[in-house]
Amino acid sequence: MADSLKDAPLFKAVQVEALVVMKIVKHCSNSFPTTATGSIVGMDKDGLLEITNTFPFPTVDLANVEGGHQNDASALAAAAPRAKANIIYQNEMIRHLKEVNVDANNVGWYTSATMGNFVNASFIENQYHYQRENDRTVALVHDVSRSSQGALSLRAFKLTPNFMTAFKEGKFTTESLQKSKLSFKDIVVEFPVHVHNSHLLTSYLHQLPSTPTDEDVVMPTSLSDLQRDPVKLPLHPSIDILDLSIDPFLEKTCDLLLDSIESHYTELNNHQYYQRQLAREQAKITAWQTKRKAENAARVAAKQQPLPEDEWQRIFKLPQEPSRLEGMLNAKQVEQYSKQIDGFTANVSAKMFAVRGNLLPE
């Protein structure tokens, strides 16, 4: 059975029940700005990962902890999915769900994000913790700030097989990255998310009364009348689209983008410092080897025993190359911010071009 599941094709999309979406949104909104995490359960069926239930991880109360502050709470909440106590709690909850005949297959975890900022080491470690045991798991990311603007932001991610292999080996050097051809674009892969309603909820939504457009409403006489002329919902005018002010969400995203670029340049400077240090040590080693060869040539001419030429390994110590993982994560986060800004500026640019005739002097 395990071999057949392993050889089966992976899912291509993620289907989330509406009740699960409401639970995730409520938990993340109540915990904001602290990171909220939880477990999701469901099943993989015909290339579709169905998420049917969820439950949050217990939060740590820092009120009685000496020196506790907001950053500690966020760090503990971000690392909650791989904490030993929460793993035991998750297994116990899944066992209880199985007893009441509910889907009890763990299919990943969810986390909250702010302004699209979720690509970090904690996110990678959590997803690796789930994905190394079961490849059919995803990480749901709910952006609380973006959803507060009126549009639900719920995305599903999974680590790529190449990145899983590199993260397992723990080697993110320049040589290993060149050999595996791994870049920041190969860290995670995103899956389309579909929100699914039950048949009972769908029937209820269709039965919600709407304000009639005419005083005399002609009732349909048969099912064919409904199919031929479906019920039209009244249009609600929105004046917000006429607002020419810059979206504050766009301004904050630009600030975060600049911070990520600065962090990326810091990582590049650290790597350049390592390269300069390595070049200096290699120059010293080359000079030492040249001197030793000249000494050995003189000793051989004097019929003396030559000195060993591999002592440089004991005398000199080459600097260790820093991991390139943090730089890759910064580059991926910059890409996420750039995509968000690209989506925001599309509407703003259209408004600016629409009114440019009035803005330009005659």
Side-chain angles (χ1 to χ4, degrees):
M1 182 66 179
D3 295 337
S4 61
L5 286 175
K6 187 176 181 180
D7 297 335
L10 297 178
F11 54 89
K12 298 180 180 179
V14 177
Q15 177 179 290
V16 187
E17 292 293 330
L19 180 60
V20 176
V21 175
M22 296 302 294
K23 287 183 177 180
I24 293 176
V25 170
K26 184 176 184 297
H27 181 211
C28 296
S29 300
N30 293 340
S31 302
F32 185 80
T34 305
T35 305
T37 54
S39 179
I40 53 179
V41 295
M43 61 184 301
D44 181 15
K45 181 181 178 182
D46 298 333
L48 182 67
L49 186 65
E50 301 178 359
I51 301 175
T52 57
N53 206 344
T54 180
F55 54 88
F57 288 122
T59 57
V60 179
D61 188 10
L62 295 179
N64 300 324
V65 179
E66 184 178 357
H69 52 83
Q70 186 67 37
N71 293 336
D72 294 337
S74 297
L76 290 173
R82 61 182 187 276
K84 185 176 181 180
N86 287 334
I87 294 175
I88 298 175
Y89 172 78
Q90 176 180 273
N91 295 335
E92 192 71 14
M93 284 292 296
I94 290 178
R95 185 178 65 83
H96 290 317
L97 291 175
K98 189 180 297 183
E99 292 176 355
V100 295
N101 198 21
V102 178
D103 291 339
N105 301 317
N106 180 261
V107 292
W109 62 293
Y110 71 84
T111 181
S112 62
T114 305
M115 300 291 190
N117 183 13
F118 65 92
V119 183
N120 49 41
S122 182
F123 177 84
I124 299 299
E125 291 175 1
N126 290 337
Q127 181 58 23
Y128 176 79
H129 167 73
Y130 280 94
Q131 200 166 327
R132 67 179 178 181
E133 303 293 340
N134 181 13
D135 198 36
R136 292 172 172 81
T137 54
V138 294
L140 291 180
V141 179
H142 172 61
D143 195 330
V144 181
S145 302
R146 184 57 180 163
S147 299
S148 64
Q149 302 293 321
L152 175 65
S153 177
L154 188 65
R155 306 166 69 184
F157 295 94
K158 178 184 173 185
L159 299 179
T160 61
N162 292 338
F163 185 82
M164 284 287 295
T165 304
F167 195 83
K168 182 179 180 180
E169 295 176 354
K171 294 181 180 180
F172 288 95
T173 60
T174 304
E175 182 180 357
S176 62
L177 293 179
Q178 289 177 347
K179 185 177 180 181
S180 60
K181 296 181 180 180
L182 189 66
S183 66
F184 69 92
K185 297 181 179 180
D186 304 323
I187 297 179
V188 294
V189 58
E190 185 174 1
F191 292 91
V193 177
H194 307 288
V195 179
H196 178 261
N197 292 326
S198 63
H199 297 297
L200 186 62
L201 180 57
T202 304
S203 301
Y204 172 73
L205 293 176
H206 280 287
Q207 292 177 2
L208 288 177
S210 59
T211 305
T213 55
D214 300 329
E215 295 182 358
D216 298 332
V217 179
V218 180
M219 301 299 294
T221 58
S222 62
L223 183 61
S224 60
D225 292 343
L226 283 174
Q227 295 175 349
R228 184 169 53 252
D229 188 15
V231 179
K232 298 181 178 61
L233 296 177
L235 297 177
H236 297 279
S238 176
I239 309 179
D240 295 338
I241 59 176
L242 302 178
D243 187 10
L244 297 179
S245 62
I246 303 299
D247 191 353
F249 194 87
L250 173 60
E251 297 179 5
K252 183 62 176 177
T253 305
C254 291
D255 294 337
L256 293 174
L257 175 61
L258 294 176
D259 293 339
S260 296
I261 293 176
E262 290 180 1
S263 301
H264 185 65
Y265 273 110
T266 302
E267 292 295 327
L268 289 180
N269 291 334
N270 293 338
H271 186 71
Q272 291 174 357
Y273 175 76
Y274 155 76
Q275 289 179 328
R276 291 193 298 267
Q277 233 181 356
L278 180 63
R280 285 195 296 265
E281 293 297 325
Q282 287 177 342
K284 293 179 182 178
I285 293 173
T286 303
W288 184 90
Q289 288 176 337
T290 304
K291 182 179 178 181
R292 178 54 60 93
K293 288 179 180 179
E295 291 178 358
N296 287 338
R299 293 175 69 91
V300 170
K303 296 181 180 181
Q304 295 179 358
Q305 186 72 18
L307 299 174
E309 297 184 359
D310 57 351
E311 288 185 354
W312 67 269
Q313 298 178 0
R314 179 176 56 85
I315 300 174
F316 300 96
K317 186 177 181 181
L318 293 177
Q320 188 176 3
E321 182 179 0
S323 176
R324 306 300 301 274
L325 176 60
E326 193 66 29
M328 293 176 61
L329 295 180
N330 283 332
K332 185 64 179 178
Q333 188 61 63
V334 168
E335 183 189 31
Q336 292 291 329
Y337 287 144
S338 301
K339 289 181 179 179
Q340 289 182 182
I341 293 175
D342 184 42
F344 298 148
T345 53
N347 296 330
V348 176
S349 300
K351 295 176 184 178
M352 293 295 103
F353 277 107
V355 299
R356 68 188 301 266
N358 295 330
L359 295 177
L360 292 177
E362 295 181 357

